[in-house]
Amino acid sequence: MRGQESLDFAKGRRVHVTGFLTSAFTAIRHIAHAHGIECNINFKMQFMLLFSRQGKLRLQKWYVPLSDTQKKKISREVIQMVLARKPKMCSFLEWRDMKIVYKRYASLYFCCAVEDQENELITLEIIHRYVELLDKYFGSVCELDIIFNFEKAYYILDEFILGGEAQETSKKNVLKAIEQADMLQEEAEAPRSVLEEIGLT
Amino acid sequence: MSDVVEKTLTALPGLFESQTGAAKITNRLRQLIKSITELTSKHEEENLIKRELSAIKEQVSSPNTTMKQMREIMVRAMYCEMLGYDASFTYIHAIKLAQQGGVLEKRVGYLAVSLFLNEGHELLLLLVNTVLKDLQSTNLIEVCMALTVVAQVFPKDMIPAVLPLVEDKLSHPKEIIRRKAVLALYKFYLIAPNQVQHIHAKFCKALSDKDPGVMASSLHIYLQLIRESPDSYKDLTGSFVTILKQVLGGKLPVDFNYHSVPAPWLQIQLLRILSLLGKEDQSTSELMYEVLDESLRRAEMNHNITYAILYECVKAVYTIHPKAELLEKAARCIGNFVLSPKINLKYLGLKALTYVVQHDAKLALQHQMTIIECLDHSDFTIKRETLELLFRITNAQNVTVIVEKMLDFLRSCNDEHTIIHLIGKVAELAEKFAPDNSWFIQTMNDVFSIGGDLLQQDVPNNFLRLLAEGSESKEEDDQLRLYAVESYLTVLKGHTSHLPQCFLQVMSWVLGEYAHLQESVDRREVIRLLTQLLDQRSVSSETRVWILSALTKIPEGQTDLILDLAESLSSSQDTVLRQQAQELRHLSQDSQLREWVLPRGAPWDGIEVDSSLSFLDGFVSEALAAGAAPYKPPHQRQEELCEDRALNLEPYSFSLPVSLSSCSITDRQSPTLLSVSSGLSGNSAELSQKAGSSTLILEGVKRVWGKDGYLPQKEATAPPVDEPSAAVQPASQQEAAERIEPRPEPSTQNQDKQQLASSLFVGLGVGSSVSLLGKSEAPPPRFRKKPRPHESSSSSGTSKRSSDSSSHSSRNTTDSFLYGSFPEEEPATSISTFDHTPKSTTANGLSQNKDTKEDRHANTSQILGGDMVIVRPSTIQDKHPPSVSSDLTALLPADLKDLPHSDVISLTSDPSLSLSSCRLFRDEALLLVIFISNCTETVIKDVAVQLTCEELKTASLRGNVMDCLEARSTSVCHYALLMDDPHTNVSLTGTVSYQTQPGHTNTLPFSGTLSTADFIRPLVVTTEEYGKLWLSLSHDVKQNLKLLTDAGDPLRTTLNALKDALQLHVVDIIGSEGIVACRLLSGAPCLLHCRVNGAALAMWLRSPHPALPDFILYHCQRALAHH
């Protein structure tokens, strides 16, 4: 079922156009959508991409199961479309049967795909909240922070959005969770590096 | 985020120095990133990454690599993957890292897993144990990580393994753990809803959690649950309202504030839930008016987030049961959006407007100038949304302007999705509101040339059907056709090479059919234009076939020209084309034959297609006798093909005769071809369904606005719907003018806009509001299509006939009983037809042939049924109906009393005994209870009941022999009846022998009929199980049934009617489709897939039992006819 779904996702509406589907498959897929992803009921985020002005991907998080080729194709398409937008245009973009919500912060584009009926403004604010979190964590964040610490950016994202839904909207709580894990990291780090220095490893 | 400073790459070295600790580890990563940024070409990057990946490969496979190094390697692998290179060899190491590493390594390992692996990835199974272990860890961080990964990717099948642990975490003292556990359960609910069914009570606990984060997370689950069944959660409305009130009142901790708005995400979530709960429910809606009002009031600050909340609020106000005061406020809010200079807000305003004009079209009127500005906006997205809005307010008066705008937009648009989406809408509007023939044909020409071959197939299909079937008046139809012919001739005289294939096909079909209507044009000219097309290289062979068949239809053409053409094409590579050319040649030489094959002006309804292809039976059996492989239905072939793809582990057999193997090869290949083509041909209905669903967004939206309209004072002035449009126009223009009046000195440009406004918004004023609000009653479509025939003419033929038969049957029900006390009325014929059900005439394998035969058979029997005494399946009926006391059921043994049972009906009686029966539905059998009552004052002795039925397995459970039956008493005997093979109706015969006087035996015969319906039991499956089962079943039957449209949602009503009549289990209903499951007692399942197809219900049944679908279909038809 999942496989079927992801397949159709990649082809997007095109499937509907060529219409090779038999009615039962359609039904089952519709129903599966109702419980799953990319359905017209569930509001959750489909994916989030961070990319530079040059179109280099800096971060990608997929909340729907897709194959690597599909992911590549989608991100290429989306990046191209977003980069072609002019600054005065609105931050929303229709794409396939979804909405792309994007915002540019300095040299970096933050871009989310949501279901068509979703409230685009709130998605925009989710992006903004994420940027605030990054900013607070890195202290005046810039693209390089994200490039070199992309795994940290992922940790923060995972604390903020889980499985495509906002998990914790309190800035304090998200950062607390990250800091706790980081602290552990430093504790674990310290003795090891000492050992290393003595040459015991 | 202006405070985010963009640092440049020159800052790189400084950045490195400032990093300590963790940074050391990732030094290699830094080098990698740095060297990549220095590269100039993609090629160099590829080489670099290739080197990097091979280094990583070496390292991961080396036994000396420590966990710590592995962590660093993993980060690099993630980076390579992000750049789009395949590092799949590291996936297993990511899992290992999560498994074996310390907390630090785990963190990286889990992250890598969640980035690398999809839900369905098989390696995920290896993660299950790690997750289990970490969930039980005492280290909070580990538990958190495990829950995070579970909520993102987890194999569905393994949910039961972790479920108890995750559930436990719901009562964990740490809120972060509780929150993550809730989200993990939400995820489980999404992918496997029935696995978490038992913990709904715990969700409730999460909702009342003292931590706002946990509570907010639980709303995700509730939103989903309420979306699926709002009725089950109405009692929570109060709680949600209270929570929202508290949030609005600022009772949450300050750090949930976002730009000083308290917990906006939470508010939005709650508003969504409330709108679902209040939808079509006045009493529930009343509970939330106050809080919605407050919400609207509070969201005054000028920030995106408040607008986001407002938008949700407006939607909620328009979704729930309407309240005038709130609607007014909400409408004002929309004004704030639409008039905002911020483009994002404007967009959302348009979107909100699109939503609300479905309820109140006049709202668009207030914002007409803005809408017009947006229509010419430079931003594609805004334009697109505006057109969506215009589409919703289109009526017969503004259709030309709106369609023009849409076409303009489409001409400049190059996004496939948008074109397909919008062009379908244009076609819909054109068909619905076309003011005249020329406009309609012209617009459709535009649709075909713009939409081209992207067009959904149903657009040309619908168009041609409309032309072909016509309306009531032949004259009008001919005018339309004539206009089409003229217009196409003009088009074809022009430059044709750029025309899309689909347009060419439409044109050639129309010319073939209707060119004769145009008398002024020489047939030669038409033929010349068509043959010209054949010379073009860009014309596809499919189109060529269309053109050829058009030429075939044009009578008395230039025979020599045609013959030349046929000659040249008969050597074509394309076999279909060649065939067509042959036909053309034959027909053009033999005008009599042509008259016979292609009669002009033949009625469309009269065409009957033998869908069972019975005329091929002889051919098939000959072929089979000659050793051909039996037919297999497409899905079976697909499955076999799939199997074939797997490795064949069995040794090849050497003894296989050559002829057989070659036969099997052709068999392999042709099915795929066949299945594709059959998929294609069976498509049109499918597609039209698609189109219907894409435009029927209205469907989910409550029509708060009934025919009476909402605002009573407006209604009073509303003229009747069908008042001539001319009368309405001035009124609305006037109103438009009034709106514009206060604007100071409009410039000429403005005047243009106003003119546009008046043409766009005409008909939206008071006058036509009534017709607009009830969109379905909106101006009668100009082209009234005849009731849409279903899938094909063949099925329409049968369904028509069968519906005839069923209406016939409903008339007959009163006198149509089949009952034993009047055995002479028992229509033996109708039953015997089923006895003759051919049990596969050929020995083995001839499944298709058998199918079609039975299929046909069932149909004929239904048809026959109309002409003979109708068997009423669901009840054993009697002439003297309810006189039988229902208190007989009291005599049922205690263990049977709780079973669902039928009414008690009298079977037969004589002066001494009276017999009645009752059917009890047990899962695995039908119990027939026979009540034997002694009507005399004396004891009756040696009562023995004998029951026989050829088609059923009968077993006497108890009480069929009694020594004596006391005076005025009743005895009960039971039979268990099992049906292995379905029959429409089975007759039971039996006798009761008894002695009133010793030595003198009386016999009392009785008989009765049972229907398959008595043996159908609901099959309770989940949607997923249904899906699996569906694919595994082989025998299928499709039919169009009547759709009950008398109340509410037709699909739901119909399915409920079927459910009531036949004990089916409705598995799920999504949009216009529903799936239903049942089984024959505890035996063969039968799955039904129902789809609303116009005014009919397209039903598709599948079962492992070849005949079962037919019988169930039969009973469904009956049930609906009786409804």
Side-chain angles (χ1 to χ4, degrees):
Chain A
M1 227 32 257
R2 287 268 141 192
Q4 173 79 22
E5 238 165 49
S6 52
L7 202 87
D8 294 335
F9 173 82
K11 291 182 198 156
R13 279 263 176 91
R14 191 71 193 142
V15 173
H16 297 190
V17 179
T18 44
F20 280 107
L21 296 169
T22 51
S23 60
F25 286 115
T26 331
I28 292 164
R29 221 188 54 229
H30 278 195
I31 290 156
H33 289 180
H35 298 301
I37 46 160
E38 58 127 356
C39 58
N40 48 4
I41 310 179
N42 200 329
F43 285 116
K44 79 174 197 178
M45 197 182 282
Q46 315 279 309
F47 56 83
M48 187 186 239
L49 301 176
L50 266 66
F51 51 90
S52 69
R53 236 176 347 177
Q54 292 77 32
K56 285 251 187 250
L57 209 53
R58 296 302 181 207
L59 207 69
Q60 52 172 339
K61 186 80 189 179
W62 300 82
Y63 297 106
V64 284
L66 293 171
S67 77
D68 285 344
T69 29
Q70 289 164 341
K71 286 180 187 173
K72 263 187 228 172
K73 187 167 170 284
I74 292 172
S75 35
R76 208 169 40 231
E77 214 173 294
V78 168
I79 290 174
Q80 215 171 31
M81 280 171 62
V82 170
L83 288 179
R85 303 274 295 171
K86 297 196 179 71
K88 281 283 162 70
M89 291 182 169
C90 70
S91 311
F92 319 124
L93 196 55
E94 237 159 281
W95 173 77
R96 298 193 181 169
D97 47 359
M98 275 177 265
K99 282 277 163 62
I100 302 288
V101 177
Y102 70 92
K103 187 153 186 191
R104 186 178 152 183
Y105 290 93
S107 58
L108 207 55
Y109 283 90
F110 288 68
C111 161
C112 292
V114 290
E115 196 273 327
D116 183 54
Q117 294 304 308
E118 169 68 301
N119 181 338
E120 287 89 351
L121 270 186
I122 200 74
T123 313
L124 205 56
E125 294 315 296
I126 285 208
I127 292 178
H128 190 78
R129 187 55 164 224
Y130 180 48
V131 175
E132 282 182 357
L133 287 168
L134 290 173
D135 199 44
K136 184 99 183 211
Y137 181 82
F138 289 107
S140 183
V141 70
C142 75
E143 190 183 339
L144 289 176
D145 292 322
I146 294 170
I147 299 174
F148 288 103
N149 301 286
F150 69 92
E151 80 274 20
K152 295 271 172 53
Y154 275 125
Y155 293 142
I156 297 172
L157 187 60
D158 281 352
E159 280 304 316
F160 177 42
I161 298 169
L162 193 53
E165 300 276 10
Q167 177 193 182
E168 177 61 89
T169 54
S170 150
K171 211 195 286 189
K172 197 182 81 188
N173 289 353
V174 173
L175 292 174
K176 204 168 74 189
I178 296 290
E179 274 156 20
Q180 271 171 354
D182 280 353
M183 221 133 77
L184 226 114
Q185 186 147 352
E186 269 157 37
E187 278 165 24
E189 212 99 288
R192 277 193 202 181
S193 53
V194 173
L195 286 179
E196 268 171 358
E197 275 164 33
I198 308 169
L200 283 181
T201 45
Chain B
M1 204 66 230
S2 53
D3 52 343
V4 180
V5 184
E6 181 182 357
K7 296 178 192 168
T8 55
L9 280 172
T10 49
L12 263 176
L15 196 75
F16 291 149
E17 281 157 27
S18 71
Q19 300 287 330
T20 52
K24 281 183 202 158
I25 310 268
T26 50
N27 256 341
R28 292 254 350 223
L29 173 74
R30 289 182 178 283
Q31 274 166 18
L32 173 68
I33 295 172
K34 205 175 144 198
S35 34
I36 281 182
T37 51
E38 283 160 2
L39 297 177
T40 48
S41 76
K42 182 80 186 162
H43 182 66
E44 282 175 342
E45 184 189 293
E46 264 167 36
N47 283 337
L48 182 74
I49 298 286
K50 214 177 265 171
R51 278 203 304 278
E52 184 69 24
L53 282 175
S54 58
I56 290 178
K57 202 170 212 165
E58 207 170 288
Q59 281 175 303
V60 290
S61 47
S62 148
N64 297 327
T65 311
T66 61
M67 276 295 147
K68 201 174 109 191
Q69 284 164 325
M70 194 62 109
R71 190 177 77 200
E72 185 266 325
I73 292 167
M74 205 48 68
V75 176
R76 276 191 289 153
M78 281 192 258
Y79 189 78
C80 294
E81 279 258 319
M82 187 162 67
L83 290 179
Y85 298 89
D86 176 42
S88 51
F89 63 89
T90 57
Y91 294 176
I92 183 73
H93 297 283
I95 288 182
K96 257 199 221 155
L97 198 63
Q99 204 166 38
Q100 296 162 357
V103 186
L104 274 181
E105 286 79 27
K106 262 184 198 305
R107 198 180 182 199
V108 176
Y110 274 132
L111 176 65
V113 165
S114 72
L115 290 175
F116 289 160
L117 303 182
N118 274 340
E119 244 152 67
H121 204 289
E122 48 195 3
L123 280 180
L124 272 183
L125 286 177
L126 300 176
L127 193 72
V128 174
N129 269 328
T130 317
V131 167
L132 277 174
K133 202 182 82 202
D134 287 339
L135 281 176
Q136 295 168 68
S137 160
T138 49
N139 185 337
L140 279 187
I141 306 280
E142 282 182 347
V143 180
C144 274
M145 289 190 296
L147 283 171
T148 307
V149 86
V150 162
Q152 296 188 71
V153 283
F154 199 73
K156 192 166 120 190
D157 304 337
M158 298 309 284
I159 290 176
V162 294
L163 189 59
L165 285 173
V166 177
E167 259 182 85
D168 279 351
K169 301 293 177 230
L170 286 177
S171 41
H172 197 276
K174 275 298 217 187
E175 57 274 0
I176 182 169
I177 305 272
R178 292 202 300 275
R179 187 197 337 130
K180 284 182 190 283
V182 168
L183 281 167
L185 290 175
Y186 170 62
K187 171 80 175 178
F188 291 168
Y189 180 76
L190 288 179
I191 58 177
N194 31 355
Q195 303 223 7
V196 289
Q197 222 123 50
H198 61 288
I199 44 175
H200 281 195
K202 294 201 172 162
F203 294 158
C204 202
K205 214 180 126 214
L207 182 66
S208 50
D209 199 287
K210 61 180 189 298
D211 180 70
V214 182
M215 186 265 288
S217 308
S218 75
L219 292 183
H220 295 307
I221 298 179
Y222 275 103
L223 186 60
Q224 195 65 29
L225 289 170
I226 291 170
R227 210 173 264 150
E228 280 157 24
S229 63
D231 291 335
S232 337
Y233 297 92
K234 298 274 185 195
D235 53 330
L236 285 175
T237 314
S239 316
F240 292 124
V241 169
T242 320
I243 296 173
L244 186 53
K245 265 186 198 154
Q246 287 176 346
V247 176
L248 287 172
K251 298 273 174 11
L252 289 189
V254 188
D255 46 83
F256 282 93
N257 282 10
Y258 176 80
H259 294 260
S260 55
V261 175
W265 284 276
L266 188 53
Q267 285 193 42
I268 282 172
Q269 211 60 349
L270 286 165
L271 286 170
R272 283 177 184 165
I273 289 178
L274 288 181
S275 70
L276 288 172
L277 285 171
K279 193 173 172 180
E280 281 160 6
D281 183 341
Q282 184 170 4
S283 58
T284 311
S285 298
E286 272 162 8
L287 296 174
M288 52 187 82
Y289 287 148
E290 191 195 328
V291 75
L292 286 178
D293 191 41
E294 195 176 339
S295 239
L296 282 174
R297 206 153 24 95
R298 291 225 174 222
E300 275 164 353
M301 220 184 50
N302 193 12
H303 186 276
N304 269 351
I305 197 73
T306 54
Y307 283 107
I309 297 172
L310 266 184
Y311 172 78
E312 236 24 86
C313 220
V314 167
K315 261 181 102 166
V317 167
Y318 273 90
T319 312
I320 63 168
H321 189 87
K323 187 185 185 204
E325 190 191 331
L326 276 180
L327 290 171
E328 221 169 279
K329 285 187 185 168
R332 267 206 304 279
C333 279
I334 295 178
N336 290 346
F337 275 100
V338 177
L339 298 173
S340 164
K342 288 186 185 165
I343 187 146
N344 286 345
L345 296 185
K346 207 181 260 298
Y347 171 84
L348 216 64
L350 287 172
K351 198 169 159 177
L353 210 50
T354 311
Y355 184 78
V356 301
V357 287
Q358 295 168 38
H359 303 297
D360 184 0
K362 285 190 294 300
L363 279 174
L365 216 53
Q366 296 173 13
H367 302 294
Q368 43 181 324
M369 288 321 278
T370 322
I371 294 172
I372 284 166
E373 271 159 29
C374 291
L375 204 52
D376 292 327
H377 203 280
S378 56
D379 189 345
F380 189 80
T381 314
I382 300 273
K383 261 191 187 172
R384 172 90 163 70
E385 196 59 42
T386 315
L387 289 175
E388 198 75 40
L389 171 60
L390 289 180
F391 170 71
R392 297 233 181 271
I393 58 165
T394 310
N395 57 32
Q397 291 135 51
N398 58 16
V399 65
T400 46
V401 192
I402 288 180
V403 164
E404 190 50 47
K405 285 280 160 197
M406 289 171 103
L407 289 174
D408 279 350
F409 176 81
L410 282 169
R411 284 190 192 103
S412 63
C413 165
N414 48 16
D415 176 61
E416 256 183 42
H417 266 91
T418 316
I419 294 179
I420 294 163
H421 187 74
L422 270 186
I423 203 81
K425 294 194 164 171
V426 174
E428 191 191 327
L429 292 179
E431 200 177 291
K432 227 179 188 165
F433 301 114
D436 56 56
N437 285 339
S438 59
W439 183 87
F440 178 64
I441 296 292
Q442 201 52 52
T443 307
M444 287 314 284
N445 285 356
D446 286 336
V447 165
F448 290 128
S449 41
I450 294 172
D453 297 318
L454 293 174
L455 220 51
Q456 306 207 13
Q457 195 56 42
D458 69 319
V459 175
N461 284 355
N462 276 348
F463 175 71
L464 292 183
R465 198 193 297 273
L466 197 135
L467 281 182
E469 285 167 359
S471 58
E472 317 299 309
S473 132
K474 180 155 184 340
E475 209 170 299
E476 269 179 38
D477 293 344
D478 279 347
Q479 256 174 7
L480 178 65
R481 290 166 188 161
L482 187 63
Y483 194 86
V485 169
E486 276 169 10
S487 147
Y488 294 158
L489 287 175
T490 326
V491 172
L492 286 181
K493 275 174 197 157
H495 201 57
T496 51
S497 58
H498 64 282
L499 294 175
Q501 303 300 315
C502 131
F503 193 19
L504 291 177
Q505 290 166 10
V506 166
M507 286 195 287
S508 47
W509 189 88
V510 171
L511 289 179
E513 289 287 329
Y514 302 115
H516 66 96
L517 292 174
Q518 172 60 289
E519 272 143 20
S520 62
V521 175
D522 188 6
R523 299 242 160 76
R524 280 162 180 243
E525 178 68 5
V526 179
I527 292 173
R528 192 186 61 79
L529 286 171
L530 285 174
T531 40
Q532 212 174 25
L533 287 179
L534 285 174
D535 297 335
Q536 277 175 27
R537 196 166 292 167
S538 59
V539 173
S540 75
S541 53
E542 197 195 341
T543 312
R544 282 165 202 271
V545 174
W546 282 76
I547 296 171
L548 273 190
S549 57
L551 286 170
T552 320
K553 282 182 270 186
I554 297 173
E556 297 118 41
Q558 284 293 89
T559 319
D560 50 335
L561 197 81
I562 294 285
L563 282 179
D564 278 354
L565 184 70
E567 194 63 48
S568 66
L569 282 172
S570 53
S571 56
S572 158
Q573 293 275 327
D574 190 311
T575 47
V576 186
L577 209 56
R578 216 152 63 200
Q579 156 127 16
Q580 197 81 35
Q582 286 295 343
E583 284 173 14
L584 176 61
R585 190 163 62 191
H586 280 292
L587 291 178
S588 62
Q589 282 168 333
D590 186 344
S591 60
Q592 244 179 335
L593 183 64
R594 184 217 298 273
E595 233 6 77
W596 188 69
V597 175
L598 300 165
R600 182 149 308 284
W604 285 89
D605 315 334
I607 298 174
E608 278 188 40
V609 177
D610 183 358
S611 64
S612 63
L613 304 180
S614 58
F615 54 88
L616 286 175
D617 284 356
F619 176 76
V620 170
S621 47
E622 261 173 47
L624 282 167
Y631 174 80
K632 285 175 192 151
H635 50 87
Q636 201 180 339
R637 278 173 294 182
Q638 292 290 343
E639 277 158 28
E640 283 174 18
L641 278 175
C642 291
E643 280 164 22
D644 280 355
R645 268 183 220 124
L647 277 180
N648 183 7
L649 297 176
E650 282 168 28
Y652 293 109
S653 64
F654 296 101
S655 55
L656 203 67
V658 181
S659 64
L660 236 176
S661 68
S662 71
C663 163
S664 74
I665 286 169
T666 50
D667 183 42
R668 286 277 140 66
Q669 302 208 327
S670 62
T672 33
L673 284 174
L674 253 177
S675 68
V676 170
S677 65
S678 68
L680 264 171
S681 61
N683 245 333
S684 58
E686 194 55 48
L687 282 164
S688 64
Q689 172 56 24
K690 277 272 126 57
S693 63
S694 68
T695 51
L696 271 183
I697 306 164
L698 282 162
E699 197 173 56
V701 180
K702 178 186 58 159
R703 288 213 354 229
V704 184
W705 306 83
K707 204 179 169 187
D708 305 326
Y710 177 68
L711 299 169
Q713 73 277 12
K714 299 267 183 188
E715 204 223 352
T717 60
V721 181
D722 46 359
E723 189 174 335
S725 54
V728 179
Q729 205 157 346
S732 46
Q733 265 171 343
Q734 193 185 349
E735 185 167 323
E738 275 167 13
R739 291 257 151 232
I740 297 154
E741 223 172 359
R743 291 183 169 243
E745 299 195 349
S747 63
T748 39
Q749 195 195 357
N750 255 355
Q751 273 171 346
D752 284 350
K753 283 185 178 170
Q754 278 164 22
Q755 210 165 9
L756 180 60
S758 59
S759 51
L760 272 179
F761 298 95
V762 65
L764 288 189
V766 187
S768 62
S769 64
V770 177
S771 66
L772 248 170
L773 296 179
K775 205 153 190 175
S776 52
E777 298 106 41
R782 173 170 162 72
F783 300 107
R784 196 168 303 138
K785 270 198 252 174
K786 286 188 177 169
R788 177 96 186 257
H790 326 291
E791 307 253 348
S792 65
S793 38
S794 76
S795 65
S796 81
T798 28
S799 72
K800 198 178 162 195
R801 266 187 287 167
S802 56
S803 67
D804 280 348
S805 81
S806 40
S807 62
H808 187 169
S809 73
S810 58
R811 280 200 302 279
N812 274 347
T813 35
T814 39
D815 49 6
S816 69
F817 46 86
L818 162 62
Y819 206 59
S821 28
F822 302 88
E824 66 276 11
E825 287 201 37
E826 190 166 315
T829 39
S830 117
I831 284 169
S832 66
T833 47
F834 282 93
D835 292 342
H836 294 165
T837 304
K839 295 270 185 261
S840 179
T841 41
T842 38
N844 39 11
L846 182 47
S847 60
Q848 169 57 18
N849 197 18
K850 182 178 146 198
D851 268 3
T852 50
K853 275 194 176 163
E854 285 190 2
D855 195 21
R856 198 152 32 93
H857 191 82
N859 282 341
T860 37
S861 63
Q862 283 157 26
I863 294 155
L864 287 175
D867 302 318
M868 56 179 66
V869 181
I870 297 301
V871 182
R872 182 159 180 190
S874 53
T875 46
I876 296 183
Q877 272 206 338
D878 189 85
K879 266 278 187 187
H880 345 276
S883 63
V884 180
S885 55
S886 59
D887 58 13
L888 280 174
T889 49
L891 295 168
L892 289 173
D895 54 330
L896 300 180
K897 273 200 177 118
D898 295 330
L899 288 175
H901 60 80
S902 67
D903 293 336
V904 179
I905 48 166
S906 155
L907 281 173
T908 182
S909 60
D910 69 4
S912 353
L913 281 183
S914 87
L915 262 63
S916 10
S917 76
C918 169
R919 286 157 297 146
L920 280 81
F921 307 105
R922 257 199 358 216
D923 273 350
E924 75 291 359
L926 178 73
L927 294 187
L928 186 70
V929 178
I930 300 176
F931 301 96
I932 309 161
S933 307
N934 185 348
C935 316
T936 62
E937 300 298 332
T938 53
V939 176
I940 295 176
K941 298 217 160 172
D942 288 327
V943 182
V945 185
Q946 257 199 327
L947 187 71
T948 51
C949 176
E950 281 172 26
E951 293 92 343
L952 299 177
K953 282 189 191 160
T954 54
S956 163
L957 295 182
R958 59 189 136 179
N960 64 333
V961 179
M962 280 157 290
D963 286 338
C964 60
L965 185 60
E966 294 297 331
R968 294 278 161 208
S969 71
T970 301
S971 163
V972 182
C973 82
H974 309 181
Y975 283 89
L977 306 177
L978 296 172
M979 183 184 262
D980 287 338
D981 285 314
H983 305 269
T984 331
N985 292 290
V986 287
S987 56
L988 289 166
T989 50
T991 49
V992 187
S993 58
Y994 62 96
Q995 294 186 348
T996 40
Q997 294 153 355
H1000 188 274
T1001 307
N1002 293 333
T1003 50
L1004 173 62
F1006 66 89
S1007 63
T1009 312
L1010 295 166
S1011 85
T1012 319
D1014 292 323
F1015 296 90
I1016 294 173
R1017 302 286 177 269
L1019 174 63
V1020 181
V1021 288
T1022 63
T1023 308
E1024 276 131 20
E1025 287 161 356
Y1026 182 98
K1028 275 186 201 146
L1029 198 54
W1030 179 269
L1031 293 177
S1032 70
L1033 299 183
S1034 49
H1035 297 277
D1036 52 1
V1037 170
K1038 290 186 214 173
Q1039 180 78 289
N1040 281 332
L1041 299 184
K1042 186 177 131 186
L1043 194 60
L1044 301 176
T1045 46
D1046 34 68
D1049 179 355
L1051 179 62
R1052 227 166 259 275
T1053 321
T1054 314
L1055 290 188
N1056 283 339
L1058 289 178
K1059 185 179 146 195
D1060 294 340
L1062 289 169
Q1063 303 199 37
L1064 308 173
H1065 171 64
V1066 180
V1067 183
D1068 213 335
I1069 299 181
I1070 301 288
S1072 62
E1073 294 177 85
I1075 53 177
V1076 180
C1078 67
R1079 65 199 313 177
L1080 188 65
L1081 295 177
S1082 46
C1086 181
L1087 303 184
L1088 294 82
H1089 170 252
C1090 315
R1091 189 163 46 77
V1092 177
N1093 184 11
L1097 183 71
M1099 191 173 277
W1100 186 355
L1101 300 95
R1102 272 194 179 184
S1103 167
H1105 194 288
L1108 188 57
D1110 283 328
F1111 293 105
I1112 291 183
L1113 188 60
Y1114 172 72
H1115 287 293
C1116 289
Q1117 277 178 332
R1118 308 216 40 123
L1120 293 179
H1122 284 287
H1123 191 77

